Amino acid sequence: MSEPTPDAERNAERDAERDAVLAALRPVVDGIAATFGPVCEVVLHDYRRPERSVVAVAGSVTGRTVGGAMSEIGMRVLARGDEARDELNYVTRTGDGILLKSSTMVLRDSTGAVFGALCVNLDVTAVDRAQALLGALAGAAGTPADPPATAFGDDIDAVVDAIVDAHPLRRDSSWAALDRARRLELFRDLDGRGVFAVRRSVEQVAARLGISRASAYSYLSQARAATGPAADPAGGDA
């Protein structure tokens, strides 16, 4: 039996360290959710497995379950790699209209490499409605900005489809109506959102756009030639 290589030993040590961090955070997930009550959901992600990144969840706001996929926000963090930063107190909404105040805190190992995230989602829909009512009673009601919708779901394919379908270039024009520059812009933006960090995502995007797999790889390659790679071109795990 061959001896493990130094690289294999380092990878094993790094994985053991990351597993220990995730294990230590599991009770924290339950503690945060219990503190804020039923309006709170806390999700712990292991980005080594994008398609099933959820390793712990407490509360139910977006309907996440253990073994589920990362959200659109997680894919964006994954695309940024080790340059990713915490995103705190941002407002978004689910596809069914729940208004969320959220924070995504990246997890790093001792080398500084990003490998996961701890996410907190607060359902502030009722608070927003109460604020609007109070504003109307005080005569100070205005038209609030509509927060962006975020694709949440346990099925990574559904998340990828939602991102592609919601893209302005895709929503406002058919693929055939887009010129080369806008097609490259579409692929560049999808890449920046982490879509192509997911296994088999290039094929999935191609099917969603109604183009061949070869065409999708070609456009992705051309888009990256100008900006540099954001993820593995083969759509493998990061």
Side-chain angles (χ1 to χ4, degrees):
M1 184 174 180
S2 60
E3 293 293 325
T5 65
D7 283 345
E9 291 180 346
R10 282 194 294 270
N11 288 336
E13 291 173 356
R14 184 171 61 179
D15 280 338
E17 177 192 2
R18 293 174 172 182
D19 289 341
V21 172
L22 293 170
L25 285 172
R26 280 182 168 86
V28 176
V29 168
D30 292 326
I32 295 174
T35 299
F36 287 96
V39 299
C40 180
E41 173 189 80
V42 185
V43 186
L44 182 62
H45 289 279
D46 181 352
Y47 287 165
R48 291 172 294 180
R49 307 178 304 169
E51 296 86 357
R52 53 188 188 281
S53 69
V54 178
V55 295
V57 60
S60 182
V61 173
T62 65
R64 320 303 294 286
T65 59
V66 172
M70 64 175 55
S71 70
E72 178 180 350
I73 298 165
M75 292 172 68
R76 184 170 69 238
V77 172
L78 186 62
R80 293 172 180 168
D82 296 341
E83 299 302 315
R85 296 291 180 266
D86 296 343
E87 297 187 25
L88 307 176
N89 290 326
Y90 56 89
V91 178
T92 185
R93 60 180 172 85
T94 65
D96 54 359
I98 296 175
L99 189 67
L100 301 179
K101 179 182 178 183
S102 303
S103 289
T104 299
M105 294 150 282
V106 299
L107 305 178
R108 301 178 186 274
D109 60 25
S110 58
T111 70
V114 172
F115 69 92
L118 178 65
C119 303
V120 180
N121 299 312
L122 293 177
D123 181 351
V124 295
T125 307
V127 175
D128 182 67
R129 289 172 180 167
Q131 183 181 28
L133 175 60
L134 291 173
L137 291 173
T143 302
D146 191 23
T150 297
F152 294 98
D154 280 341
D155 179 3
I156 194 66
D157 290 345
V159 174
V160 170
D161 284 347
I163 295 172
V164 174
D165 291 346
H167 195 283
L169 289 175
R170 163 71 170 168
R171 189 177 61 240
D172 299 338
S173 302
S174 67
W175 175 259
L178 298 177
D179 59 20
R180 179 177 178 278
R182 288 189 293 171
R183 291 178 179 183
L184 290 175
E185 179 185 348
L186 173 60
F187 270 84
R188 188 178 301 113
D189 193 48
L190 293 177
D191 196 25
R193 296 187 187 191
V195 168
F196 298 116
V198 178
R199 191 187 304 273
R200 298 183 301 277
S201 57
V202 176
E203 293 87 340
Q204 184 181 346
V205 170
R208 204 69 179 174
L209 295 176
I211 63 177
S212 70
R213 173 183 172 183
S215 292
Y217 273 104
S218 176
Y219 278 110
L220 178 58
S221 177
Q222 293 175 65
R224 287 180 173 174
T227 60
D232 179 1
D237 288 346

